Amino acid sequence: MKLYELCGDDKRRFSPYCWRTRMALAIKQIEVEAASVGFTEIPGICDGAVKTVPTLETDGSVIVDSFEIARHLDEVHAANPLFRGEAAEAHCRLIQGWADTAVVAALASMIVVDVWSVLRPQDKDYFRTTREGRFGKTLEEFQAGREGRVAGFNSLTLAPARRALARAQWLGGDQPDYADCILFGTLMWPHVVSDFPVLEDGPLMDWFRRCLELMPDEAEVKALLAA
């Protein structure tokens, strides 16, 4: 299996969606061949058949989207399931919807300039043009005042996860499942690209470190565990 992942100028992997897949692979104890690509290289992978990463090539098939990759991993490797039944998959869909809207949007307003700063030179114009078109303002204007948004991000945006993790070790209950992968990958995004602290101490930070400890050999994780 070959996994295409988004990378920056120094090869650091920062995509929240790719980190979801990385944690899923760690839970299932599956190793893959890794291929790092920049934004402007994506149209050239898999013979131009895909537009986003993560993308998994396996046995002649191309699987796009982190959630679909997780479902495929469970189908072909039954051990250490990411979805423990239909109800669990529905639960993970809910977590994904919350993370992809509320959490990603809040994080983008606090780290988008930091993301731009770690990109390869050939990807910076693409990123700035597409994101400023989406936001209707410059990256710097969109991120301005981020210090005043941290408290609300922790107390309100992350409240569902914080409350759940005050009662259980994992979002999946007594062991991690794909819900944990979704939120972990999302929160790896700021931790990999920025020194700006977005996560306050407490049950959620403790959970985040438990997630890191599932994959201690990843270069980006080593740096965070050593901090």
Side-chain angles (χ1 to χ4, degrees):
M1 289 190 289
K2 185 175 184 178
L3 179 67
Y4 292 91
E5 302 173 280
L6 193 61
C7 73
D9 191 34
D10 57 359
K11 295 296 184 182
R12 79 176 77 182
R13 296 163 298 176
F14 62 87
S15 164
Y17 307 101
C18 294
W19 278 107
R20 294 175 188 184
T21 297
R22 273 287 158 195
M23 182 171 174
L25 290 166
I27 290 172
K28 296 191 73 66
Q29 300 178 22
I30 297 173
E31 294 186 2
V32 296
E33 176 188 354
S36 298
V37 297
F39 277 111
T40 54
E41 289 179 315
I42 294 174
I45 66 175
C46 301
D47 297 322
V50 302
K51 296 181 179 180
T52 61
V53 290
T55 291
L56 185 70
E57 277 188 325
T58 176
D59 297 327
S61 298
V62 175
I63 303 166
V64 182
D65 181 80
S66 53
F67 204 102
E68 293 307 312
I69 291 172
R71 293 181 70 248
H72 172 78
L73 294 176
D74 264 7
E75 289 173 2
V76 298
H77 297 278
N80 306 317
L82 299 168
F83 306 102
R84 296 189 291 276
E86 292 184 7
E89 183 170 337
H91 167 68
C92 290
R93 291 284 187 191
L94 176 62
I95 296 297
Q96 178 179 253
W98 164 68
D100 286 351
T101 53
V103 183
V104 167
L107 286 173
S109 76
M110 294 188 281
I111 64 164
V112 68
V113 176
D114 301 306
V115 175
W116 176 84
S117 71
V118 304
L119 297 180
R120 306 179 314 162
Q122 60 267 44
D123 293 328
K124 287 190 171 185
D125 284 347
Y126 163 82
F127 184 84
R128 180 175 286 277
T129 300
T130 56
R131 272 54 181 180
E132 290 184 350
R134 183 182 304 170
F135 302 147
K137 57 183 67 176
T138 68
L139 302 184
E140 290 76 12
E141 289 170 339
F142 188 68
Q143 185 174 290
R146 63 180 178 175
E147 293 81 3
R149 294 191 286 273
V150 175
F153 175 67
N154 282 269
S155 64
L156 298 175
T157 307
L158 294 178
R162 192 181 67 252
R163 291 174 182 174
L165 292 167
R167 295 172 173 81
Q169 289 286 296
W170 305 98
L171 295 179
D174 60 354
Q175 55 187 310
D177 69 4
Y178 194 63
D180 294 277
C181 300
I182 292 168
L183 185 57
F184 170 75
T186 306
L187 293 175
M188 272 295 279
W189 187 30
H191 282 86
V192 170
V193 303
S194 179
D195 292 329
F196 182 70
V198 299
L199 203 57
E200 296 173 349
D201 288 337
L204 193 52
M205 178 62 87
D206 294 340
W207 163 87
F208 184 73
R209 291 192 67 83
R210 287 196 294 275
C211 292
L212 291 174
E213 289 165 358
L214 291 176
M215 53 188 86
D217 294 330
E218 301 287 357
E220 296 87 348
V221 171
K222 284 182 180 179
L224 292 173
L225 287 173

